[in-house]
Amino acid sequence: GAVVSQHPSRVICKSGTSVKIECRSLDFQATTMFWYRQFPKQSLMLMATSNEGSKATYEQGVEKDKFLINHASLTLSTLTVTSAHPEDSSFYICSARDPGLAGLNTQYFGPGTRLTVL
Amino acid sequence: GQNIDQPTEMTATEGAIVQINCTYQTSGFNGLFWYQQHAGEAPTFLSYNVLDGLEEKGRFSSFLSRSKGYSYLLLKELQMKDSASYLCAVRDETGGYNKLIFGAGTRLAVHP
């Protein structure tokens, strides 16, 4: 199946710093990628939809100036958490839609990034 | 609005069969997915239904009734490694673009 990588897998940072997370589709081109956040024992909450070459679409309640998304190529999207605070500590997961599977548009998920803000 | 409901927790015995139900309400339905997620890991794709009926894939089967807004995931011959969270996700096309909306997940514990 399609492979999506994410880097870093874990990051610990001080409050007020910015953290960049990369998401790559390794064996397919993804015009659309998605960023999710998951708190312990909760489900995935969609933060934003990232479209290659255009602005991301943010879900209601997600601050676009705090969570900067860049989708500069068909295989790479980045999420930057700016001025991170302890309440931003969470598991961030990206996914990429594989258009190659006819009519399915299945989303494949990266392994996630565990962010801890001290 | 969108609403997806599934049980929070279930337990079952190794070798048995378990059915995890999911009900949903969404205005732009275009398919339902089931994912498996082990603790601390990303979800992995299990199944996809867009038409009514049963889709079988090995030990796992998924059923969809669009008129009832209902789906279930059936796991047969349970193994200990099946202990995980199972996420029901609906593809919603409201607003002209589609996205996956996830339920809260069902934590399944398989006991010997």
Side-chain angles (χ1 to χ4, degrees), chain A residues 38 75 107 116:
Chain A
Q38 186 176 34
T75 59
Q107 285 189 36
T116 303

Short mmCIF file of all heavy atoms in Angstrom, two decimals, chain A residues 38 75 107 116:
data_model
loop_
_atom_site.label_atom_id
_atom_site.label_comp_id
_atom_site.label_asym_id
_atom_site.label_seq_id
_atom_site.Cartn_x
_atom_site.Cartn_y
_atom_site.Cartn_z
N GLN A 38 -4.63 14.53 17.67
CA GLN A 38 -5.29 13.53 18.49
C GLN A 38 -4.81 13.64 19.92
O GLN A 38 -3.62 13.46 20.21
CB GLN A 38 -5.03 12.12 17.96
CG GLN A 38 -5.81 11.02 18.67
CD GLN A 38 -5.58 9.66 18.05
OE1 GLN A 38 -4.50 9.36 17.57
NE2 GLN A 38 -6.61 8.83 18.06
N THR A 75 4.54 15.93 -3.01
CA THR A 75 4.91 14.88 -2.07
C THR A 75 5.26 15.42 -0.69
O THR A 75 5.65 14.65 0.18
CB THR A 75 6.13 14.09 -2.60
OG1 THR A 75 7.23 14.99 -2.79
CG2 THR A 75 5.79 13.39 -3.92
N GLN A 107 -7.31 7.53 2.14
CA GLN A 107 -6.30 8.31 2.85
C GLN A 107 -5.37 7.35 3.59
O GLN A 107 -5.82 6.45 4.29
CB GLN A 107 -6.95 9.24 3.87
CG GLN A 107 -7.63 10.45 3.26
CD GLN A 107 -8.07 11.43 4.33
OE1 GLN A 107 -7.41 11.61 5.34
NE2 GLN A 107 -9.20 12.06 4.09
N THR A 116 5.56 17.51 22.59
CA THR A 116 5.46 17.86 24.01
C THR A 116 6.05 19.24 24.20
O THR A 116 7.22 19.48 23.87
CB THR A 116 6.23 16.85 24.88
OG1 THR A 116 5.72 15.53 24.65
CG2 THR A 116 6.06 17.20 26.36
#
